[in-house]
Amino acid sequence: SAVISQKPSRDICQRGTSLTIQCQVDSQVTMMFWYRQQPGQSLTLIATANQGSEATYESGFVIDKFPISRPNLTFSTLTVSNMSPEDSSIYLCSVRPGQGDGTQYFGPGTRLTVL
Amino acid sequence: QKEVEQNSGPLSVPEGAIASLNCTYSDRGSQSFFWYRQYSGKSPELIMFIYSNGDKEDGRFTAQLNKASQYVSLLIRDSQPSDSATYLCAAYSGYSTLTFGKGTMLLVSP
């Protein structure tokens, strides 16, 4: 498995501001993903963070709103830009260590509240 | 469009009983399947994965896969109140992402 940490664990932000969430893994991983989970809802994939190139975004998510970086095989950031109360959610980093069976592990999550 | 379907529940079982959680998937190309447990306010935790038809056991947990019926299940024996959580089923088709179901809430009463 992989040990994943996220910072911050939670934050309360004002409308119109931006927040950058960091995800650090204790070993090199093949793939890193960012998900959003709103209260009582299932997981929604935001994007796949690609090492050294632009992230691959899912339908409904755009780079201007959710810029993502992945400078190496153990670290990624997700920025939530120009926040509104609708962005209040839990943001989860997920990693896939290998290339075989699709196994993914999740970080502890960042709970974001936008006022 | 690839889909994974789960009954949202809640599934209520008494302590000590067997809890049976079920999942169906639409993509016949799916290669492996995962069960995650998610406690309220926490992130998903991988419990088991299975990729061959039949049963796979790990402690009190048994995953079952029937590719012909496109059906995956998770059995929890001797259910405990601490097993109360939402269980997410996910399928992997060899593309970049897992396809997750919406989860089944399990409630184990003492």
Side-chain angles (χ1 to χ4, degrees), chain A residues 67-110:
Chain A
I68 288 170
S69 78
R70 188 181 173 193
N72 56 50
L73 295 177
T74 63
F75 185 78
S76 177
T77 66
L78 167 73
T79 299
V80 186
S81 302
N82 188 26
M83 288 184 285
S84 67
E86 292 70 36
D87 295 319
S88 297
S89 190
I90 297 174
Y91 291 85
L92 292 155
C93 173
S94 180
V95 305
R96 182 174 300 156
Q99 299 181 352
D101 55 22
T103 302
Q104 280 181 224
Y105 302 96
F106 285 85
T110 296

Side-chain angles (χ1 to χ4, degrees), chain A residues 31 33 35 37 41-43 45 48 58 90 92 94 96 99-109 111, chain B residues 31-34 36 38 40-46 49 51 88 92 94-98 100-103:
Chain A
M31 303 189 78
F33 306 93
Y35 288 82
Q37 187 174 37
Q41 302 298 314
S42 190
L43 300 166
L45 179 66
T48 301
E58 297 299 302
I90 297 174
L92 292 155
S94 180
R96 182 174 300 156
Q99 299 181 352
D101 55 22
T103 302
Q104 280 181 224
Y105 302 96
F106 285 85
R111 183 180 294 272
Chain B
Q31 303 167 2
S32 47
F33 305 87
F34 302 85
Y36 290 83
Q38 186 172 25
S40 180
K42 301 295 185 181
S43 64
E45 172 194 9
L46 180 64
F49 72 91
Y51 54 84
L88 302 171
Y92 177 63
Y95 305 112
S96 64
T97 62
L98 296 180
F100 282 90
K102 296 186 184 301

Side-chain angles (χ1 to χ4, degrees), chain B residues 71-102:
Chain B
Y71 180 91
V72 190
S73 63
L74 179 70
L75 302 179
I76 305 175
R77 290 182 299 282
D78 188 24
S79 295
Q80 301 297 309
S82 58
D83 294 325
S84 297
T86 296
Y87 289 79
L88 302 171
C89 175
Y92 177 63
S93 303
Y95 305 112
S96 64
T97 62
L98 296 180
T99 302
F100 282 90
K102 296 186 184 301

